[in-house]
Amino acid sequence: MKIGIMVSEGPYNHQASDTAYLFARNAIEKGHSVPRVFFYHDGVNNSTKLTQPPQDDRNVVNRWSKLAEDHGVDLVVCVAAGMRRGITDDILAPGFRISGLGQLVEAGIQCDRLVTFGD
Amino acid sequence: MSDMMDDMDEGGEGVVKKFMFVNRKAPHGTIYALEGLEVVLISAAFDQDVSMVFVDDGVYELIKGVNTKGIEVKDFSKTYRALEGYDIEKLYVEKASMDARGLTEDDLIVDVTVLDSAEMANLMAEQDVVISY
Protein backbone atom coordinates (compact mmCIF):
# COMPACT_ATOMS: atom_id res chain seq x y z
CA MET A 1 0.00 0.00 0.00
CA LYS A 2 1.16 3.53 -0.78
CA ILE A 3 0.99 5.66 2.37
CA GLY A 4 1.39 9.43 2.42
CA ILE A 5 2.14 11.11 5.74
CA MET A 6 1.55 14.60 7.09
CA VAL A 7 3.45 15.84 10.14
CA SER A 8 1.92 18.89 11.83
CA GLU A 9 4.04 19.36 14.93
CA GLY A 10 7.60 20.38 15.65
CA PRO A 11 10.25 17.91 16.85
CA TYR A 12 11.02 17.43 20.57
CA ASN A 13 8.13 19.64 21.68
CA HIS A 14 5.61 17.03 20.56
CA GLN A 15 5.66 13.30 19.99
CA ALA A 16 3.88 13.55 16.62
CA SER A 17 7.04 13.61 14.52
CA ASP A 18 8.54 10.68 16.47
CA THR A 19 5.39 8.66 15.98
CA ALA A 20 5.19 9.62 12.31
CA TYR A 21 8.80 8.55 11.78
CA LEU A 22 8.32 5.22 13.56
CA PHE A 23 5.11 4.62 11.62
CA ALA A 24 6.85 5.38 8.30
CA ARG A 25 9.87 3.21 9.06
CA ASN A 26 7.77 0.27 10.20
CA ALA A 27 5.37 0.58 7.27
CA ILE A 28 8.34 0.37 4.89
CA GLU A 29 9.77 -2.61 6.80
CA LYS A 30 6.41 -4.34 6.41
CA GLY A 31 6.58 -3.89 2.63
CA HIS A 32 4.45 -0.77 2.18
CA SER A 33 5.79 2.29 0.42
CA VAL A 34 5.91 5.80 1.83
CA PRO A 35 6.41 8.02 -1.22
CA ARG A 36 6.09 11.31 0.61
CA VAL A 37 6.08 12.92 4.05
CA PHE A 38 4.65 16.44 4.07
CA PHE A 39 5.64 18.81 6.88
CA TYR A 40 3.10 21.47 7.77
CA HIS A 41 2.34 23.88 10.62
CA ASP A 42 5.20 23.63 13.16
CA GLY A 43 6.11 20.34 11.48
CA VAL A 44 8.33 22.38 9.16
CA ASN A 45 10.78 22.61 12.07
CA ASN A 46 11.64 18.94 11.50
CA SER A 47 13.69 19.97 8.48
CA THR A 48 16.43 22.25 9.79
CA LYS A 49 20.01 21.06 9.90
CA LEU A 50 20.70 23.65 12.60
CA THR A 51 19.06 21.28 15.08
CA GLN A 52 21.53 20.06 17.71
CA PRO A 53 19.93 17.80 20.28
CA PRO A 54 21.97 16.53 23.25
CA GLN A 55 24.14 13.54 22.32
CA ASP A 56 22.22 11.11 24.49
CA ASP A 57 18.95 11.88 22.68
CA ARG A 58 17.63 10.82 19.29
CA ASN A 59 18.29 13.14 16.37
CA VAL A 60 14.84 13.61 14.84
CA VAL A 61 16.06 15.56 11.82
CA ASN A 62 18.87 13.16 10.89
CA ARG A 63 16.50 10.24 11.27
CA TRP A 64 14.21 11.73 8.60
CA SER A 65 17.20 12.36 6.34
CA LYS A 66 18.29 8.74 6.67
CA LEU A 67 14.78 7.53 5.85
CA ALA A 68 14.90 9.63 2.67
CA GLU A 69 18.34 8.31 1.75
CA ASP A 70 17.58 4.66 2.45
CA HIS A 71 14.08 4.47 1.01
CA GLY A 72 13.68 7.42 -1.37
CA VAL A 73 11.03 9.07 0.78
CA ASP A 74 10.24 12.54 -0.56
CA LEU A 75 10.41 14.92 2.44
CA VAL A 76 8.46 18.04 1.51
CA VAL A 77 8.37 21.19 3.64
CA CYS A 78 5.51 23.61 3.04
CA VAL A 79 6.90 26.85 1.63
CA ALA A 80 4.36 29.17 3.26
CA ALA A 81 4.52 27.54 6.70
CA GLY A 82 8.31 27.38 6.39
CA MET A 83 8.71 31.05 5.50
CA ARG A 84 6.66 32.04 8.55
CA ARG A 85 9.06 30.08 10.72
CA GLY A 86 12.38 30.94 9.08
CA ILE A 87 12.83 27.67 7.22
CA THR A 88 14.68 28.33 3.96
CA ASP A 89 16.67 26.25 1.46
CA ASP A 90 19.93 27.31 3.18
CA ILE A 91 19.17 25.43 6.36
CA LEU A 92 17.45 22.30 5.03
CA ALA A 93 18.87 18.97 6.16
CA PRO A 94 19.63 16.38 3.42
CA GLY A 95 16.61 14.79 1.80
CA PHE A 96 14.22 17.69 2.48
CA ARG A 97 12.89 20.06 -0.16
CA ILE A 98 10.60 23.07 0.01
CA SER A 99 7.45 23.10 -2.08
CA GLY A 100 3.80 24.10 -2.04
CA LEU A 101 0.68 22.80 -0.37
CA GLY A 102 -0.30 21.19 -3.65
CA GLN A 103 2.20 18.45 -2.76
CA LEU A 104 0.04 17.53 0.23
CA VAL A 105 -3.15 17.41 -1.81
CA GLU A 106 -1.33 15.41 -4.49
CA ALA A 107 -0.19 12.88 -1.88
CA GLY A 108 -3.81 12.57 -0.76
CA ILE A 109 -4.92 11.91 -4.32
CA GLN A 110 -2.17 9.52 -5.33
CA CYS A 111 -1.58 7.50 -2.16
CA ASP A 112 -3.90 4.76 -0.94
CA ARG A 113 -3.91 6.37 2.50
CA LEU A 114 -2.94 9.74 3.92
CA VAL A 115 -2.04 9.47 7.59
CA THR A 116 -1.74 12.64 9.64
CA PHE A 117 0.22 13.15 12.87
CA GLY A 118 -0.42 16.11 15.14
CA ASP A 119 -2.91 17.76 17.44
CA MET B 1 12.92 13.06 -7.54
CA SER B 2 13.07 9.49 -6.26
CA ASP B 3 11.93 6.33 -8.02
CA MET B 4 9.08 6.10 -5.56
CA MET B 5 7.85 9.51 -6.57
CA ASP B 6 7.94 8.45 -10.22
CA ASP B 7 5.87 5.49 -9.13
CA MET B 8 3.45 7.80 -7.32
CA ASP B 9 3.01 9.93 -10.41
CA GLU B 10 1.51 7.01 -12.32
CA GLY B 11 -2.23 6.99 -12.66
CA GLY B 12 -2.85 10.16 -10.70
CA GLU B 13 -4.52 12.03 -13.56
CA GLY B 14 -8.24 12.48 -13.46
CA VAL B 15 -8.72 10.88 -10.05
CA VAL B 16 -11.44 12.57 -8.00
CA LYS B 17 -11.38 11.72 -4.31
CA LYS B 18 -13.56 12.84 -1.45
CA PHE B 19 -11.46 15.19 0.66
CA MET B 20 -12.73 16.30 4.03
CA PHE B 21 -11.10 19.03 6.07
CA VAL B 22 -12.07 18.79 9.72
CA ASN B 23 -11.79 22.05 11.63
CA ARG B 24 -11.70 21.40 15.36
CA LYS B 25 -9.95 24.45 16.78
CA ALA B 26 -10.82 28.04 17.60
CA PRO B 27 -9.73 30.52 14.92
CA HIS B 28 -7.19 32.18 17.19
CA GLY B 29 -4.92 30.91 19.92
CA THR B 30 -3.12 28.56 17.54
CA ILE B 31 -2.36 28.80 13.82
CA TYR B 32 -4.10 25.55 12.85
CA ALA B 33 -7.31 27.18 11.60
CA LEU B 34 -5.53 29.76 9.43
CA GLU B 35 -3.04 27.34 7.90
CA GLY B 36 -5.77 24.73 7.54
CA LEU B 37 -7.79 27.15 5.47
CA GLU B 38 -4.79 27.62 3.19
CA VAL B 39 -4.79 23.89 2.37
CA VAL B 40 -8.50 23.99 1.58
CA LEU B 41 -8.01 26.85 -0.87
CA ILE B 42 -5.15 25.01 -2.60
CA SER B 43 -7.20 21.83 -2.81
CA ALA B 44 -9.75 23.70 -4.93
CA ALA B 45 -7.20 23.79 -7.75
CA PHE B 46 -7.13 19.97 -7.91
CA ASP B 47 -10.78 19.43 -8.87
CA GLN B 48 -11.47 17.14 -5.93
CA ASP B 49 -14.74 16.56 -4.08
CA VAL B 50 -14.02 18.81 -1.09
CA SER B 51 -16.04 19.25 2.06
CA MET B 52 -15.29 21.12 5.26
CA VAL B 53 -16.66 20.26 8.64
CA PHE B 54 -16.62 22.31 11.82
CA VAL B 55 -16.76 20.53 15.14
CA ASP B 56 -15.77 21.27 18.74
CA ASP B 57 -14.19 24.75 19.01
CA GLY B 58 -13.92 24.74 15.21
CA VAL B 59 -17.44 26.16 15.06
CA TYR B 60 -16.00 29.42 16.40
CA GLU B 61 -14.14 29.80 13.07
CA LEU B 62 -17.47 30.69 11.46
CA ILE B 63 -18.96 33.13 13.95
CA LYS B 64 -20.01 36.62 12.95
CA GLY B 65 -18.48 39.77 14.38
CA VAL B 66 -14.89 38.62 14.84
CA ASN B 67 -12.60 41.47 15.78
CA THR B 68 -8.92 40.66 16.23
CA LYS B 69 -7.64 44.20 16.83
CA GLY B 70 -7.08 43.56 20.51
CA ILE B 71 -4.82 40.56 19.92
CA GLU B 72 -3.04 42.14 16.93
CA VAL B 73 -3.38 39.16 14.60
CA LYS B 74 -4.84 38.85 11.12
CA ASP B 75 -8.61 38.46 10.91
CA PHE B 76 -9.20 35.82 8.25
CA SER B 77 -12.85 35.12 9.03
CA LYS B 78 -14.01 36.72 5.77
CA THR B 79 -12.07 34.10 3.85
CA TYR B 80 -14.73 31.55 4.74
CA ARG B 81 -17.20 33.62 2.76
CA ALA B 82 -14.89 33.45 -0.25
CA LEU B 83 -14.92 29.64 -0.28
CA GLU B 84 -17.97 29.63 -2.52
CA GLY B 85 -15.89 31.37 -5.19
CA TYR B 86 -13.53 28.41 -5.07
CA ASP B 87 -16.45 26.01 -5.58
CA ILE B 88 -16.10 24.80 -2.01
CA GLU B 89 -19.74 24.76 -1.01
CA LYS B 90 -20.06 21.71 1.21
CA LEU B 91 -19.79 23.13 4.70
CA TYR B 92 -21.04 21.04 7.61
CA VAL B 93 -21.37 21.95 11.26
CA GLU B 94 -22.04 19.52 14.08
CA LYS B 95 -25.17 20.42 16.03
CA ALA B 96 -23.87 19.23 19.40
CA SER B 97 -20.79 21.44 19.06
CA MET B 98 -22.98 24.48 18.35
CA ASP B 99 -25.40 23.63 21.16
CA ALA B 100 -22.59 23.21 23.67
CA ARG B 101 -21.40 26.73 22.86
CA GLY B 102 -24.80 28.39 22.74
CA LEU B 103 -24.57 29.02 18.99
CA THR B 104 -27.13 28.69 16.22
CA GLU B 105 -26.91 28.99 12.44
CA ASP B 106 -27.83 32.68 12.78
CA ASP B 107 -24.49 33.28 14.49
CA LEU B 108 -22.50 32.03 11.49
CA ILE B 109 -21.10 34.07 8.58
CA VAL B 110 -21.77 31.40 5.93
CA ASP B 111 -24.56 29.02 5.01
CA VAL B 112 -23.91 25.58 6.44
CA THR B 113 -25.59 22.22 6.71
CA VAL B 114 -26.14 21.24 10.32
CA LEU B 115 -25.67 17.53 11.05
CA ASP B 116 -26.17 15.50 14.18
CA SER B 117 -23.22 13.45 15.41
CA ALA B 118 -24.35 10.21 13.75
CA GLU B 119 -24.81 11.94 10.40
CA MET B 120 -21.38 13.51 10.77
CA ALA B 121 -19.86 10.10 11.47
CA ASN B 122 -21.50 8.67 8.36
CA LEU B 123 -20.20 11.54 6.25
CA MET B 124 -16.69 11.00 7.59
CA ALA B 125 -16.89 7.29 6.84
CA GLU B 126 -17.61 8.08 3.16
CA GLN B 127 -14.40 10.08 2.70
CA ASP B 128 -11.20 9.00 0.95
CA VAL B 129 -8.96 11.57 2.63
CA VAL B 130 -9.60 13.27 5.96
CA ILE B 131 -7.27 16.06 7.05
CA SER B 132 -7.98 17.29 10.52
CA TYR B 133 -6.70 20.14 12.64
Side-chain angles (χ1 to χ4, degrees):
Chain A
M1 184 179 281
K2 265 188 252 182
I3 304 170
I5 290 176
M6 176 171 90
V7 179
S8 303
E9 308 294 340
Y12 302 105
N13 182 61
H14 199 293
Q15 195 181 327
S17 64
D18 292 276
T19 310
Y21 165 77
L22 293 171
F23 177 86
R25 197 186 70 194
N26 282 283
I28 292 166
E29 281 172 8
K30 296 267 185 203
H32 300 291
S33 74
V34 178
R36 178 174 294 155
V37 180
F38 190 86
F39 296 89
Y40 198 41
H41 304 302
D42 272 1
V44 300
N45 291 314
N46 281 274
S47 68
T48 163
K49 67 183 179 190
L50 303 178
T51 302
Q52 285 187 322
Q55 287 195 344
D56 61 353
D57 199 356
R58 75 239 185 266
N59 188 313
V60 172
V61 176
N62 291 354
R63 242 172 17 180
W64 284 121
S65 291
K66 187 164 189 319
L67 198 70
E69 187 184 352
D70 292 350
H71 302 289
V73 181
D74 186 27
L75 305 176
V76 182
V77 180
C78 172
V79 59
M83 284 175 74
R84 279 197 181 100
R85 295 165 177 84
I87 303 296
T88 60
D89 279 324
D90 309 342
I91 60 166
L92 285 187
F96 289 90
R97 65 187 180 93
I98 292 177
S99 189
L101 281 167
Q103 302 279 301
L104 171 63
V105 179
E106 187 186 76
I109 295 169
Q110 295 180 358
C111 291
D112 300 304
R113 295 283 188 280
L114 181 70
V115 185
T116 66
F117 294 86
D119 280 345
Chain B
M1 198 72 70
S2 71
D3 292 343
M4 279 184 153
M5 279 310 300
D6 295 339
D7 181 41
M8 191 158 105
D9 287 339
E10 288 171 14
E13 296 294 318
V15 176
V16 178
K17 285 193 175 182
K18 286 177 182 281
F19 272 71
M20 173 185 279
F21 296 96
V22 182
N23 297 271
R24 294 177 290 121
K25 297 197 171 63
H28 302 289
T30 67
I31 199 169
Y32 296 103
L34 171 60
E35 288 190 331
L37 193 51
E38 290 176 358
V39 186
V40 176
L41 296 174
I42 295 289
S43 74
F46 285 78
D47 296 327
Q48 301 296 298
D49 182 359
V50 175
S51 56
M52 291 181 82
V53 310
F54 298 85
V55 298
D56 299 341
D57 277 351
V59 297
Y60 285 127
E61 293 178 29
L62 298 180
I63 56 171
K64 288 175 182 165
V66 170
N67 182 341
T68 59
K69 280 206 179 105
I71 54 171
E72 299 188 4
V73 298
K74 185 163 130 182
D75 175 9
F76 56 92
S77 68
K78 288 185 177 62
T79 310
Y80 295 99
R81 284 157 69 173
L83 288 169
E84 201 175 4
Y86 288 81
D87 290 331
I88 295 169
E89 293 168 332
K90 296 179 182 174
L91 307 182
Y92 302 95
V93 175
E94 188 200 34
K95 185 170 188 307
S97 299
M98 282 207 297
D99 288 349
R101 290 161 183 79
L103 299 172
T104 69
E105 278 181 80
D106 292 339
D107 297 308
L108 307 182
I109 52 168
V110 287
D111 291 333
V112 298
T113 303
V114 179
L115 301 179
D116 67 31
S117 302
E119 290 169 327
M120 188 65 87
N122 289 337
L123 187 66
M124 287 182 173
E126 289 173 8
Q127 304 299 314
D128 297 306
V129 180
V130 177
I131 296 180
S132 155
Y133 23 62

